[in-house]
Amino acid sequence: MRNSILTLFALLLCVNIFAQKVPQNTNYQFFVDLTNVQNDKLEVSLITPKIQKDEIVYNLPKIVPGTYANYDFGRYASDFKAFDASGKALTIEKLDKNSYKIKKAKSLYKITYLVDDTWDSPEISGEYVFEPAGTDIEKDTLFAINTHGFFGYFDNLKKVTYQVTFTKPTGFYGATSLIANKSDAKSDVFSTGNYMDLVDAPIMYSKPDTTILKVGGADILIAVYSPNKKVTSAEIADNVKTLLEAQKEYLGGSLPIKKYAFLIVLSDNLKNGSYGALEHSYSSFYYLPEASAEELSQTIKDVCAHEFFHIVTPLSIHSDEIGNFDYNKPKMSKHLWMYEGMTEYAAGHMQIKYGLIELPQYLNMLRSKINNMYDRYQDNVPFTEMSVDVLDKYKDQYANVYEKGALIGLCLDIKLRELSGGKYGTQNLMRDLSKYYGKEKSFNDVELFDKIAEITKFPAIRQFFAKYVEGKEPLPLTEIFNSVGLEFQKSVQVREKSIGVSVYNLGINPDTKGIFIVDDEGIDAFGRKLGYKAGDEFVSLNGKPLDLNSFRATRLDFMQNTKENDNIEVIVLRKDGDKKVETKLSAALFIPEITEKNLLKPVAVPTDTQINLLKAWLSPENK
Ligand SMILES: [Zn+2]
């Protein structure tokens, strides 16, 4: 029979192909060859665990913890194939963007597919994947291995060992929080006890620039990829060290980890104009604009402090929705105010508390959060409701977790301090919750507010959550700030000299480092007299340059040395069709009455109660 001859022939052929066969067992065994990039893609091959069912579904994740958006990583996989041990292809059926059904699964031995990177695949439509959660494949240069973008799981088979072997280009180093089982010049082998731990550990492959810090008994790895070598890991480590020392104090004097990795990719081409980071239990992955260590200093502080504090929540305090995360049918928790809001609040509060910034800078930080909360987001949606529906209905409200979420944290902290005579704040609360729950024990989403009232022994705090987090009432900012001797004014009319536009309405052109007027809203009466238009990019003010580098000095000179009725001359670049032309604007200076929003300043004569509560809120312990 012709058929059988063919089979025998095929079998002979396969014996050759599978000559060095990897024995199949109960685990996942993945292989990726980083030296073999084809059309910007890498092949992933998997020797599957032995399957005991007739059919099985293999999934790449739709969503991963910490992202709060549907990314559908299956979109980036192609050429999906399944084989039995003889190398014969098994029938597969693509169920949706992320899932493949494999028939005759009892004989399944191997799966292969190609993975394209999320950073550089404009041809793949759908949701933009935030870079810190995505993947990058740049031959001989950089591989951003967010493991969830490469590796998947079979239905109901996430809790077995995952072993991943990377073949790497000469001189490459895989920076990660994982400890390699085996590592030599050509390859690395990593393994984790389950899928969750693999997804929790990104790997950054590049020519190494790494520094290891010791903080509070923990080893902290700083790995940096800077395409134009503008900054080194040693410089960033310097900056992060002070920060981590302060964070250690903030967390009660010790760090709850032994090893942690900061994986930092700096980019000279922020394609989507956004940057940031994603947290994991023992590492965080950064995608930031490339700049000098000095220019990056505050950004690194703000972003690293935030990500590192995620070791508290959601990593050590989380609800069942996160503890038992479903990568393909996720249920969202009500408590983004805590996971993101408390983390963001702590990242700023820690900096003022331990002297990394001064009060005026901290008040500016808070003011900008208040401005954004009112200007950009809906203030009448209960935060718990937004949180549950963040993947759909309230998608565009998500980023309010960094604004209103942090302000909820601030109000809660001061309220708790007030109730406890200064002794108990959110630092104590988070420590108590970590002890009560912890990494392995999830809380029940609906119970958390009651539990907080119970654990803190301040039943009155339940009302705070009912009104301002579950309810629609706007945060009681005036009252809260007043209790620590700060005056909050929503809107004040002041006469103030200005360059014609509010500094809050200026944007930076990343190509030219020029400063431009974002929209008409911030142009004041003097600016209108000059004839500013939205989009105008500054060239000079009274003959002095006005761009990112000179802005501070030129504006200060203007504020100090001009008086009413002086002739003011401004040169701007203005759009004229496809070109930008220099346009000279001039007018006699007058000082307009402007509306200042959300002003925050210390009261003139604070009471003892206010002084004491302010101290309890902002001074380090034992001082
Ligand atoms: Zn976060």
Side-chain angles (χ1 to χ4, degrees):
M1 281 163 65
R2 198 195 152 114
N3 213 357
S4 64
I5 296 166
L6 194 71
T7 309
L8 183 67
F9 179 67
L11 199 70
L12 287 171
L13 211 74
C14 293
V15 170
N16 277 333
I17 293 172
F18 289 85
Q20 292 172 316
K21 215 164 87 172
V22 177
Q24 191 173 26
N25 55 33
T26 54
N27 303 335
Y28 291 84
Q29 301 174 76
F30 279 102
F31 299 85
V32 180
D33 184 352
L34 302 178
T35 66
N36 190 10
V37 177
Q38 309 264 346
N39 299 326
D40 229 18
K41 292 176 188 150
L42 283 169
E43 190 189 68
V44 173
S45 68
L46 161 66
I47 304 301
T48 69
K50 201 99 188 85
I51 303 296
Q52 310 295 349
K53 289 182 181 167
D54 295 330
E55 292 185 340
I56 190 90
V57 176
Y58 183 79
N59 312 281
L60 281 152
K62 180 185 188 67
I63 179 170
V64 290
T67 57
Y68 312 108
N70 288 322
Y71 284 158
D72 293 314
F73 287 98
R75 282 185 292 151
Y76 297 89
S78 59
D79 214 14
F80 188 92
K81 290 175 189 150
F83 304 96
D84 68 12
S86 70
K88 196 175 116 203
L90 299 176
T91 309
I92 52 166
E93 183 192 338
K94 189 168 181 181
L95 300 179
D96 57 37
K97 283 179 197 154
N98 303 301
S99 308
Y100 296 86
K101 184 189 273 179
I102 299 157
K103 308 274 171 70
K104 292 194 181 154
K106 280 181 180 160
S107 62
L108 177 63
Y109 170 73
K110 181 178 178 174
I111 284 174
T112 64
Y113 49 91
L114 298 175
V115 170
D116 206 338
D117 57 358
T118 69
W119 290 13
D120 191 18
S121 303
E123 71 281 8
I124 296 172
S125 62
E127 183 98 21
Y128 143 68
V129 178
F130 182 45
E131 281 83 354
T135 55
D136 188 36
I137 300 172
E138 268 180 75
K139 192 176 182 325
D140 299 328
T141 310
L142 175 70
F143 299 91
I145 312 284
N146 263 305
T147 41
H148 52 251
F150 287 85
F151 311 118
Y153 61 92
F154 291 111
D155 278 353
N156 303 315
L157 200 58
K158 288 199 288 275
K159 294 179 179 170
V160 299
T161 302
Y162 272 70
Q163 182 177 293
V164 181
T165 304
F166 289 98
T167 307
K168 58 190 175 181
T170 314
F172 266 51
Y173 175 71
T176 176
S177 60
L178 294 172
I179 296 166
N181 298 6
K182 210 178 118 234
S183 178
D184 58 33
K186 292 218 163 94
S187 67
D188 298 322
V189 183
F190 300 103
S191 68
T192 63
N194 54 50
Y195 186 64
M196 293 60 92
D197 289 351
L198 180 66
V199 168
D200 199 22
I203 309 167
M204 179 176 108
Y205 271 101
S206 66
K207 292 256 166 71
D209 173 16
T210 59
T211 300
I212 291 177
L213 290 174
K214 285 250 181 230
V215 181
D219 281 336
I220 314 284
L221 168 70
I222 318 272
V224 174
Y225 173 76
S226 172
N228 305 298
K229 307 271 174 281
K230 279 200 181 166
V231 62
T232 64
S233 65
E235 288 171 307
I236 290 184
D238 248 5
N239 198 353
V240 170
K241 188 163 170 56
T242 3
L243 188 79
L244 291 173
E245 296 285 359
Q247 288 188 278
K248 184 193 77 178
E249 291 306 314
Y250 195 86
L251 294 174
S254 66
L255 293 178
I257 38 141
K258 290 228 152 36
K259 188 185 172 189
Y260 191 89
F262 287 89
L263 311 178
I264 303 175
V265 172
L266 301 174
S267 169
D268 54 5
N269 176 22
L270 291 184
K271 284 188 210 94
N272 286 285
S274 66
Y275 62 84
L278 181 63
E279 77 276 12
H280 302 279
S281 303
Y282 305 103
S283 63
S284 35
F285 195 104
Y286 298 77
Y287 179 79
L288 303 173
E290 189 180 34
S292 69
E294 202 190 333
E295 289 168 303
L296 275 177
S297 173
Q298 192 58 42
T299 306
I300 292 269
K301 276 198 188 95
D302 293 342
V303 186
C304 290
H306 176 106
E307 301 311 328
F308 190 73
F309 269 146
H310 273 306
I311 60 177
V312 178
T313 190
L315 301 166
S316 288
I317 311 169
H318 50 241
S319 68
D320 204 42
E321 283 74 3
I322 291 181
N324 247 326
F325 194 82
D326 188 326
Y327 296 83
N328 283 72
K329 289 182 212 74
K331 277 201 280 313
M332 289 291 114
S333 158
K334 291 204 278 188
H335 300 292
L336 272 175
W337 71 272
M338 182 170 78
Y339 309 137
E340 289 301 333
M342 287 304 298
T343 302
E344 178 69 5
Y345 168 64
H349 183 226
M350 171 270 303
Q351 292 189 53
I352 168 118
K353 190 157 183 170
Y354 295 99
L356 274 58
I357 55 174
E358 298 296 326
L359 185 64
Q361 196 182 343
Y362 185 57
L363 295 185
N364 272 339
M365 210 185 246
L366 294 177
R367 190 179 170 205
S368 125
K369 291 191 184 303
I370 297 168
N371 285 336
N372 291 343
M373 163 177 81
Y374 288 135
D375 292 351
R376 299 185 187 169
Y377 304 100
Q378 287 170 253
D379 200 31
N380 57 355
V381 181
F383 226 63
T384 45
E385 209 172 284
M386 185 280 280
S387 186
V388 169
D389 233 337
V390 72
L391 295 179
D392 297 303
K393 191 171 167 196
Y394 295 120
K395 210 170 150 57
D396 60 345
Q397 299 294 309
Y398 168 72
N400 203 13
V401 298
Y402 306 112
E403 320 291 352
K404 186 173 181 177
L407 294 165
I408 291 174
L410 171 126
C411 293
L412 179 63
D413 194 12
I414 295 178
K415 197 82 207 160
L416 284 170
R417 296 265 175 208
E418 206 179 7
L419 290 168
S420 64
K423 289 195 183 68
Y424 192 98
T426 46
Q427 284 165 267
N428 311 79
L429 169 64
M430 299 308 274
R431 254 173 260 163
D432 285 349
L433 287 174
S434 301
K435 267 185 245 155
Y436 192 88
Y437 296 104
K439 196 165 161 41
E440 307 304 331
K441 187 178 165 199
S442 305
F443 61 78
N444 181 344
D445 223 48
V446 297
E447 279 176 11
L448 182 68
F449 294 134
D450 295 330
K451 279 283 173 204
I452 290 178
E454 187 189 314
I455 290 169
T456 57
K457 301 192 183 69
F458 297 117
I461 207 66
R462 185 66 187 85
Q463 276 311 304
F464 173 88
F465 290 116
K467 277 190 192 166
Y468 308 115
V469 189
E470 295 173 295
K472 289 183 181 182
E473 285 192 39
L475 288 174
L477 294 178
T478 309
E479 173 202 323
I480 290 282
F481 281 123
N482 182 60
S483 67
V484 288
L486 294 170
E487 188 185 3
F488 174 67
Q489 291 169 291
K490 253 199 112 164
S491 170
V492 193
Q493 292 296 113
V494 288
R495 280 193 84 223
E496 201 176 89
K497 202 193 282 180
S498 86
I499 61 167
V501 57
S502 157
V503 290
Y504 295 103
N505 270 67
L506 297 177
I508 297 166
N509 178 340
D511 299 327
T512 61
K513 302 269 189 265
I515 291 189
F516 68 93
I517 300 173
V518 176
D519 53 34
D520 289 330
E521 210 176 290
I523 300 174
D524 60 35
F526 174 55
R528 284 197 293 277
K529 194 174 161 198
L530 277 165
Y532 284 155
K533 285 188 178 168
D536 282 351
E537 185 171 321
F538 290 106
V539 176
S540 65
L541 171 63
N542 281 349
K544 298 206 163 120
L546 191 64
D547 62 9
L548 185 60
N549 294 325
S550 54
F551 187 81
R552 228 173 219 275
T554 301
R555 180 168 173 268
L556 189 70
D557 178 65
F558 169 86
M559 298 300 258
Q560 286 174 344
N561 301 320
T562 54
K563 49 186 191 310
E564 211 144 17
N565 292 320
D566 281 359
N567 189 51
I568 304 300
E569 192 181 280
V570 184
I571 296 178
V572 294
L573 283 173
R574 180 168 289 173
K575 242 187 164 169
D576 184 8
D578 292 343
K579 296 181 307 215
K580 278 190 170 179
V581 287
E582 281 202 2
T583 307
K584 193 194 284 183
L585 308 169
S586 68
L589 176 66
F590 73 93
I591 299 176
E593 185 164 88
I594 54 169
T595 310
E596 285 266 28
K597 286 188 299 183
N598 305 320
L599 279 188
L600 207 47
K601 61 169 199 246
V603 298
V605 189
T607 64
D608 284 352
T609 318
Q610 287 173 321
I611 293 172
N612 289 337
L613 200 57
L614 181 79
K615 263 195 198 153
W617 174 44
L618 294 184
S619 305
E621 293 79 6
N622 315 319
K623 274 181 198 166

